[in-house]
Amino acid sequence: MKKLLVLGTALVMHSLLLPAASAQETRTALVPLPSIDDFSRGKDGWSFALGAGIEYETAYEGSDEFGLELEPAGGLQWRRGNDVFYWVGEAIGWRGLRADTWLFEALIGFDEGRAESDSKKGYLDGLGDSDEGFELVLQTRRAFDTDWRYWLVGRLVTGGDGNLGLFGVGRRFGEKFDGSGSEVNIVAVFHDSKYANKDFGITAEQSAVSGLAATNMSGGYRSVGINYNYRHYINNNWQIYGEALYEHFSSAVRKSPIARGDFEAEVGIGFIYVF
């Protein structure tokens, strides 16, 4: 979910000259996973970071159009031992580590919905804009050992537009325990009929206006996906992060006229400054 900034990366890294490399070893992240923002440097209390990234991503679920988008990064966190409360962008949440191998997370986030204008080619014309709303996200990761080299992951997204769940496995690369390095997750994704119709369904009214065939989606298997995350501490304050995502839709999803592509993809890069 993020691209470009190649020239910007070189300029920033050159200007910062990579100081304070030895300080990386003393930081203690809640869990040593690059996908988990942790600005605490192992200390209790408040921490704050601010940054931005650029994403090159699919325009909407099922689209074959891509575009660039600037995204804010960072957030406000408060840590006490193995619990972190955070506010980032349009989400507020909590994550906690238990028994060194269980990571629990709960957050409330804002879903911006989908607009007809998301398709520059007019593929969504006549479908109207879908509703915005809040979603509750519950997630658990269970590591096979305290080094968090391998783990299982489960996530539930629920709200007024239905439910989505995913289950998968992950692997961390690198030897540091400060949250830098990289990781990869492979997941299977499922949705109920209400959530499926939110993204891929077409009502009779929408069909009459858009000319697309009326489509009523059933629940079940949605997709299989792979996600890669990278994080590097340039110095004591600056971080560079990157992410790549590929999601391949099931045959049931691909039958929807909205699904003009059989996959969704995102790639991106950004910087964060920790105060």
Side-chain angles (χ1 to χ4, degrees):
M1 305 175 180
K2 310 151 189 165
K3 193 189 174 186
L4 276 188
L5 286 183
V6 176
L7 177 60
T9 301
L11 292 175
V12 172
M13 294 181 69
H14 176 73
S15 64
L16 295 173
L17 298 178
L18 300 173
S22 61
Q24 298 174 10
E25 301 299 334
T26 63
R27 298 174 180 171
T28 304
L30 184 66
V31 287
L33 301 181
S35 61
I36 304 295
D37 286 328
D38 190 336
F39 311 130
S40 67
R41 299 188 176 96
K43 299 178 181 178
D44 286 353
W46 293 99
S47 56
F48 176 65
L50 191 62
I54 292 181
E55 300 177 348
Y56 183 70
E57 60 184 355
T58 307
Y60 56 90
E61 298 283 351
S63 175
D64 60 358
E65 302 171 65
F66 289 80
L68 288 172
E69 185 172 357
L70 182 66
E71 291 285 345
L76 181 67
Q77 299 180 348
W78 184 79
R79 178 172 179 173
R80 182 174 182 181
N82 288 330
D83 294 280
V84 175
F85 297 87
Y86 60 89
W87 174 43
V88 52
E90 298 175 333
I92 184 170
W94 159 86
R95 63 175 62 101
L97 180 66
R98 299 293 181 268
D100 293 326
T101 56
W102 284 95
L103 179 66
F104 298 97
E105 185 166 10
L107 69 89
I108 297 176
F110 184 73
D111 180 9
E112 296 179 349
R114 186 187 67 202
E116 285 189 4
S117 59
D118 288 345
S119 173
K120 304 304 180 184
K121 297 181 180 179
Y123 295 141
L124 299 177
D125 290 354
L127 298 182
D129 298 343
S130 61
D131 294 335
E132 302 174 341
F134 289 94
E135 292 181 327
L136 173 65
V137 180
L138 303 174
Q139 179 169 270
T140 301
R141 299 197 202 193
R142 172 64 164 91
F144 294 154
D145 205 341
T146 57
D147 63 359
W148 280 85
R149 184 64 64 190
Y150 298 93
W151 61 85
L152 302 175
V153 59
R155 181 187 303 163
L156 171 67
V157 181
T158 182
D161 291 322
N163 305 286
L164 177 144
L166 66 79
F167 309 92
V169 296
R171 196 219 198 259
R172 179 175 69 90
F173 302 91
E175 302 300 324
K176 296 182 179 179
F177 289 84
D178 57 4
S180 63
S182 61
E183 71 177 74
V184 63
N185 294 269
I186 300 175
V187 299
V189 187
F190 303 85
H191 52 197
D192 63 16
S193 60
K194 191 172 184 179
Y195 201 99
N197 282 293
K198 173 181 77 75
D199 293 328
F200 300 105
I202 301 173
T203 66
E205 292 79 10
Q206 290 174 324
S207 175
V209 177
S210 67
L212 299 175
T215 304
N216 184 40
M217 303 289 296
S218 59
Y221 170 61
R222 177 186 178 98
S223 61
V224 61
I226 182 168
N227 174 251
Y228 174 81
N229 288 274
Y230 170 81
R231 189 180 301 269
H232 173 69
Y233 296 142
I234 299 173
N235 60 25
N236 196 51
N237 298 102
W238 283 97
Q239 300 179 10
I240 180 174
Y241 67 89
E243 183 180 18
L245 167 70
Y246 177 84
E247 180 182 7
H248 191 81
F249 294 124
S250 68
S251 58
V253 168
R254 297 198 301 270
K255 291 179 181 179
S256 168
I258 295 176
R260 304 191 65 86
D262 57 6
F263 69 93
E264 176 185 3
E266 304 175 1
V267 63
I269 191 171
F271 292 94
I272 295 176
Y273 183 86
V274 182
F275 292 85

